[in-house]
Amino acid sequence: MTTTATDRLALVTGATGYIGSQLVPRLLKEGWRVRVLTRHASGLHGHEWADRVDVVEGDASTSADLDAAMSGVDVAFYLIHSMDGAADFRRRDREMAATFADAADRASVGRIVYLSGLHPADEELSPHLASRVEVGEVFLGARTPAAVLQAAVILGDGSASFDMLRYLTHRLPAMVAPRWLNNRIQPIAIQDVLHYLAGAATLPPEVNRTFDIGGPDVLTYRDMMQRFASITGLRRRIVVTVPVLTPQLAGHWVGLVTPVSSGLGKPLVQSLVHEVVCQENDLAALVGPPEPPTGFDDAVRDAMRHAAPDHAWRNLARTGAATAACAVVGSIASDPTSRWYRSLDLPPWQPPPLAFPIVWTALYADIAASSAATLTAFERERRTDEARSYGKAFGLNLVLNAGWSALFFRAHRPAVAAVGAGALAASSADLVRRAGRVSKPARTGLALYAGWCAFATALSAEITRRNR
């Protein structure tokens, strides 16, 4: 009996991720039936292909869920990783891969296809890259034949490695960077990755090996930044390399400057320590090359064609100006040297006067930076209504902030000021809630501000009680 295109069933794990969400429609277009394994089926909402796939709700680390997902499957795509910053990621990755491979063996799956990382053969690898290699070895050691595709930087809007390149280049016209930015890299466009992933699913059963995949250009990271700047109309970037910036420090720096979290940025940075250039191009010979292969410049243009604009500097200028205005108004309204204030009975746990300007200066900088990051994150995800709503909530918060000083120091109304402080604390907590939807670092920063506002509310209430 001959298997037709519509008889072929592909299982895609990680279908809500960057690669998986684009691989699913590619497979459907090529005539595959597609099944996805996901922890939460609701996460598929918004994908135009959601009603065209078979959905199995379950966990890829659970044998029973995998057995249900792999029934009748011809090829299983493994697009999962544990790049979450936790210390035991290598053990978790290895165990999950072994569970997946065992389930594929039990179900007599025709092939496993895994997207791994390109790496040199004769160097000690970074922990995350070494883990990728270990996962590939697990699959190659299974009874089910495997194709382990190894790629370096993937160029496409939404790819973490591309986002790191984009935002570093856009936001930093000059930078001090690690010297391994001069290492050679062979990036590959997302459309070419999808071509090779789909092609690997059709390999004959005797093929069980790794394949290097890359685009036609070999560049240093410095070259990629300069070419990105040129393509997108930016001025040439000034990059000074130094030998003292470790991957750990650089990973945290990436998390600060770009939307890529430090937990994800650290392994991406660590992979740049190695030169990652293809040593063979065998998969193109077996499944055919992309027609034509996508060069770096065209891949960047394609990625930026639909990318949301980056307004990070504009947002920081706006939130910074608004926060500075609030600080000036509050400072003018405050008068801790007045006779009225000195006559108040203050609680013994009130901080010394010197603490307030120091704390508030730091908090104002925190408010501006965290709010700018929140607005930028909403805009990046095209959640314009939420960005607009956050902007209004942020403005109200600053009004309440400056208003407390006027109510307390100018109007001499401690009770009303205590109510205002409570409103400010509630407004600050609301900013934390909103920021948490898109940015954990911004949520953490704003939580410090909200905590201080809660303390100020308690202090205002106690001053009111003691001076009735």
Side-chain angles (χ1 to χ4, degrees), residues 290-313:
E291 295 292 346
T294 309
F296 178 86
D297 292 3
D298 287 338
V300 170
R301 292 189 187 98
D302 289 342
M304 295 303 295
R305 188 169 293 120
H306 304 293
D310 179 27
H311 292 148
W313 288 118

Side-chain angles (χ1 to χ4, degrees), residues 31-32 36 147 175 243-244 251 265 274 277 379 403 417 430 451 464:
W32 288 84
V36 301
M175 71 190 77
V244 295
H274 310 289
V277 179
E379 292 169 353
D430 179 57
T464 298

